[in-house]
Amino acid sequence: MTLGHAPPDISVLSKNRPPDMEPITPASAPGSRRRSVPRWLRRTVGPLLLLLVWQVLSATGVLHEDILASPGTIAGAAGDLIADGTLPTAMGVSLRRVAVGLLLGGVIGISLALVSGLSRLGEDLVDATVQMLRTVPWVGLIPLFIIWLGIGEAPKIALIALGVAFHLYLNVYAGIRGVDEQLIEAGQSLGLRRWGLIRHVVLPGALPGAMTGLRYSLATAWLALVFGESINADAGIGFLMNQAREFFRTDVIVVCLVVYAFLGLLADAVVRTLERLLLQWRPTFQGQ
């Protein structure tokens, strides 16, 4: 004799289910349709709507050409600049300036962060000076750079390197000092000496901070490039913008701004790829 009722036979229930009744599966559950849409497609909805509204306002005369050119006019200007080689040449000059400034500023910033983060003596000698200098608006140093380095490539590269160095210094230094003390003790218990701890514990622990600093540095590098190329430049994207401003060519100005944004996004994508490759050991929240 058993208490209660016996569980229903699932096979019988499935045979008696109406033909138009679909079983509830994870694929048909609420929210699965949203997840089935590719993420890249969902991310393009906002920009496409913005372009559509922009084109409609331009076509109806609400947004005059003298204020801002239409997307079609801008696309035509971009095609002309690419066809005659003006835009690729300017992009090459700007990319070279950013690459050299990023390399120089990265070497300086990371070196100072290692000296300051790995040694108390180094912190006493370096950190106070760097913290004082980083409060100075680096854009305001342009006149001094021109006096010291002339009006050629040197002041532009120095401006980029200065902005990059401060971001990398702060993030790498914070990453080194943010390493868990228990990991240091665990390494010591395993017999690691000072340089072993630095190589196997401290530097890997500081790598997430270094990647964050690199992303900030790239954004600052493009910003510094805009300032640098707007002063005494005879080539580059900023030079094209200055020429377009004199002739009230809003289409060319927008093309240059789009190029700046595209190059910035491309650089950020490269850093994201490096993060996925170098930080595979660190699981992170990806959103729901």
Side-chain angles (χ1 to χ4, degrees):
M1 181 176 181
T2 59
L3 297 176
H5 299 282
D9 189 352
I10 297 178
S11 61
V12 175
L13 292 178
S14 62
K15 292 179 181 179
N16 296 331
R17 185 180 66 232
D20 58 344
M21 185 175 180
E22 294 292 335
I24 298 178
T25 60
S28 61
S32 61
R33 182 173 299 177
R34 176 178 63 84
R35 296 196 182 108
S36 64
V37 178
R39 188 179 182 189
W40 65 267
L41 184 60
R42 286 186 277 134
R43 290 172 68 90
T44 59
V45 172
L48 290 178
L49 287 177
L50 178 62
L51 286 176
L52 179 61
V53 172
W54 184 0
Q55 182 64 43
V56 170
L57 293 177
S58 299
T60 55
V62 176
L63 189 61
H64 199 270
E65 288 282 336
D66 294 337
I67 299 176
L68 185 62
S70 65
T73 304
I74 294 171
D80 295 338
L81 292 173
I82 294 174
D84 60 14
T86 302
L87 189 58
T89 302
M91 289 176 59
V93 173
S94 296
L95 282 172
R96 184 172 64 251
R97 289 168 178 162
V98 169
V100 175
L102 185 66
L103 179 61
L104 182 60
V107 171
I108 295 174
I110 294 176
S111 299
L112 293 176
L114 292 175
V115 172
S116 181
L118 298 176
S119 169
R120 292 182 180 178
L121 177 60
E123 181 182 11
D124 296 336
L125 296 176
V126 173
D127 188 64
T129 304
V130 174
Q131 297 295 342
M132 178 184 66
L133 291 177
R134 78 179 185 87
T135 59
V136 178
W138 47 269
V139 178
L141 298 176
I142 294 177
L144 284 177
F145 284 161
I146 294 176
I147 294 174
W148 294 340
L149 305 173
I151 59 175
E153 293 295 306
K156 302 174 182 60
I157 294 175
L159 190 67
I160 297 171
L162 186 66
V164 167
F166 286 136
H167 279 301
L168 278 175
Y169 172 83
L170 292 174
N171 285 275
V172 174
Y173 172 79
I176 292 174
R177 291 305 175 94
V179 175
D180 193 348
E181 185 68 25
Q182 293 181 353
L183 294 177
I184 302 294
E185 295 177 355
Q188 290 174 342
S189 64
L190 293 175
L192 292 178
R193 301 298 181 184
R194 176 177 174 81
W195 293 111
L197 288 172
I198 292 174
R199 178 182 176 184
H200 297 289
V201 179
V202 176
L203 293 183
L207 194 56
M211 291 293 101
T212 302
L214 183 59
R215 295 182 67 179
Y216 280 114
S217 297
L218 284 170
T220 303
W222 293 113
L223 179 62
L225 179 68
V226 173
F227 284 107
E229 289 187 337
S230 63
I231 300 174
N232 297 320
D234 56 0
I237 302 174
F239 175 68
L240 288 181
M241 291 182 65
N242 286 333
Q243 282 189 323
R245 181 194 61 194
E246 295 177 359
F247 294 99
F248 299 98
R249 292 288 305 274
T250 59
D251 53 349
V252 177
I253 293 175
V254 174
V255 169
C256 294
L257 292 176
V258 170
V259 170
Y260 275 130
F262 172 76
L263 293 176
L265 289 175
L266 182 62
D268 187 72
V270 172
V271 177
R272 286 176 178 268
T273 303
L274 287 176
E275 287 181 341
R276 286 194 294 268
L277 293 175
L278 299 177
L279 302 179
Q280 296 179 0
W281 51 270
R282 190 182 66 134
T284 57
F285 176 67
Q286 299 295 332
Q288 293 180 347

